[in-house]
Amino acid sequence: MTKVIAIANQKGGVGKTTTAINLAASLAALEYRTLIVDADPQANSTSGVGLNPREVEHSVYECMVDGVDVYDAITKTDIEYLHILPSHIDLVGAEVEMVNIERREERMKDSLKKAKKDYDFIIIDCSPSLGLITINALTASDSVIIPVQCEYFALEGLGKLLNTIKIIQTRLNKALEIEGILLTMYDVRLRLSNQVVEEVQTHFKKIVFDTIIPRNIKLSESPSFGLPAIAHDAESKGAVSYLNLAKEILVKNGKS
């Protein structure tokens, strides 16, 4: 059974794309066939695995808006077991173009249906908004990971996201679950980081992942090389943390 996981938070700069790239690469390193779907017009997941978004011929945009076959858009990466359904800037206009399309909230689900048989995991990198593309991603997913940074405004906007998830569960995707809340950008030296961890764990209890992602230079610099951290420096704290997250998800889903 393919597991489709969206990485979502309408707040920018919380580590969504870093999580999408590095979780997907870690699952691939553990030899699970993994597809990243770049559902963000900024196309950072696309460039983060070594593709140039400007040179992408077919992307998630053409699949959703024009009905292009998903296999015409999926591209291999330099990492075995890891493929990507890329994005490009045209995705910005997709929300407007899809307004009058039938079943507009299910276009991504329809596009991915055919490809599911070829993958163990599909990881969707959502844009930092709660617009139609993110609604498509959540409608297409089995579960959602919510990255929360260990900083002052960590919980700001989280209620709005959880409310959106509830609406989608009620109207579009009854099976959608919260895979977990992932604490990111943790700095052991800062009292504030520790306070946020405590607050999130107290408030959300069992849905918080045990794995916490630290602030890490290798995590920050690896996208500039077009590589996930595990391919850039497999022994860095960031790479090891995402590998641990992948293992935690495998255990949770009875796949380890």
Side-chain angles (χ1 to χ4, degrees), residues 38-43 59-62 64-65 87-99 127-129 131-133:
D38 191 349
D40 185 348
Q42 294 173 79
S59 72
V60 66
Y61 166 83
E62 283 82 13
M64 290 170 68
V65 175
S87 180
H88 57 57
I89 193 68
D90 285 359
L91 193 59
V92 168
E95 304 215 349
V96 177
E97 291 181 54
M98 285 163 59
V99 164
S127 63
S129 76
L132 191 52
I133 304 296

Side-chain angles (χ1 to χ4, degrees), residues 3-15:
K3 179 91 185 206
V4 185
I5 305 175
I7 316 288
N9 192 331
Q10 78 274 23
K11 209 167 180 292
V14 298

Side-chain angles (χ1 to χ4, degrees), residues 197-239:
V197 169
E198 206 174 300
E199 193 177 344
V200 172
Q201 287 174 339
T202 303
H203 199 72
F204 294 103
K205 298 183 172 69
K206 288 181 181 175
I207 63 167
V208 183
F209 285 109
D210 293 335
T211 305
I212 296 175
I213 309 299
R215 280 197 178 279
N216 181 249
I217 288 167
K218 298 293 181 185
L219 272 182
S220 303
E221 70 183 18
S222 59
S224 65
F225 293 92
L227 291 168
I230 202 165
H232 179 50
D233 183 350
E235 291 179 7
S236 66
K237 277 186 179 176

Side-chain angles (χ1 to χ4, degrees), residues 102-107 109-110 130-141 164-176:
E102 215 173 296
R103 299 174 71 249
R104 61 185 180 185
E105 297 91 354
E106 297 178 24
R107 299 294 286 189
K109 184 180 181 179
D110 294 344
L130 294 178
L132 191 52
I133 304 296
T134 298
I135 288 166
N136 261 269
L138 294 172
T139 303
S141 298
T164 301
I165 290 168
K166 269 185 191 156
I167 291 166
I168 285 163
Q169 285 168 330
T170 308
R171 299 181 189 172
L172 295 163
N173 183 2
K174 286 186 174 69
L176 182 67

Side-chain angles (χ1 to χ4, degrees), residues 13-247:
V14 298
K16 268 192 307 295
T17 297
T18 300
T19 297
I21 293 170
N22 290 290
L23 172 58
S26 296
L27 290 165
L30 295 166
E31 299 189 358
Y32 288 88
R33 299 164 304 158
T34 307
L35 174 69
I36 303 178
V37 177
D38 191 349
D40 185 348
Q42 294 173 79
N44 291 335
S45 280
T46 302
S47 57
V49 295
L51 270 70
N52 183 344
R54 291 188 187 90
E55 292 171 4
V56 167
E57 194 177 337
H58 294 304
S59 72
V60 66
Y61 166 83
E62 283 82 13
C63 295
M64 290 170 68
V65 175
D66 302 327
V68 164
D69 190 305
V70 71
Y71 287 109
D72 290 335
I74 289 173
T75 307
K76 287 181 180 178
T77 71
D78 290 337
I79 295 171
E80 198 180 356
Y81 298 107
L82 182 64
H83 294 172
I84 185 161
L85 176 54
S87 180
H88 57 57
I89 193 68
D90 285 359
L91 193 59
V92 168
E95 304 215 349
V96 177
E97 291 181 54
M98 285 163 59
V99 164
N100 296 317
I101 292 179
E102 215 173 296
R103 299 174 71 249
R104 61 185 180 185
E105 297 91 354
E106 297 178 24
R107 299 294 286 189
M108 190 181 293
K109 184 180 181 179
D110 294 344
S111 297
L112 293 175
K113 199 175 285 178
K114 189 178 175 184
K116 283 175 86 169
K117 68 182 188 302
D118 291 326
Y119 297 98
D120 300 303
F121 286 94
I122 296 176
I123 307 294
I124 307 176
D125 180 18
C126 297
S127 63
S129 76
L130 294 178
L132 191 52
I133 304 296
T134 298
I135 288 166
N136 261 269
L138 294 172
T139 303
S141 298
D142 300 306
S143 66
V144 54
I145 290 174
I146 304 167
V148 171
Q149 83 281 37
C150 297
E151 288 174 7
Y152 187 66
F153 292 115
L155 299 179
E156 194 183 60
L158 202 53
K160 198 174 178 184
L161 175 62
L162 294 170
N163 197 40
T164 301
I165 290 168
K166 269 185 191 156
I167 291 166
I168 285 163
Q169 285 168 330
T170 308
R171 299 181 189 172
L172 295 163
N173 183 2
K174 286 186 174 69
L176 182 67
E177 296 178 341
I178 294 175
E179 190 74 27
I181 290 174
L182 177 68
L183 289 154
T184 63
M185 303 179 191
Y186 175 72
D187 188 336
V188 71
R189 298 164 301 175
L190 297 180
R191 190 195 299 172
L192 178 62
S193 276
N194 293 304
Q195 283 173 343
V196 171
V197 169
E198 206 174 300
E199 193 177 344
V200 172
Q201 287 174 339
T202 303
H203 199 72
F204 294 103
K205 298 183 172 69
K206 288 181 181 175
I207 63 167
V208 183
F209 285 109
D210 293 335
T211 305
I212 296 175
I213 309 299
R215 280 197 178 279
N216 181 249
I217 288 167
K218 298 293 181 185
L219 272 182
S220 303
E221 70 183 18
S222 59
S224 65
F225 293 92
L227 291 168
I230 202 165
H232 179 50
D233 183 350
E235 291 179 7
S236 66
K237 277 186 179 176
V240 170
S241 297
Y242 276 109
L243 198 57
N244 289 338
L245 175 65
K247 289 173 181 173

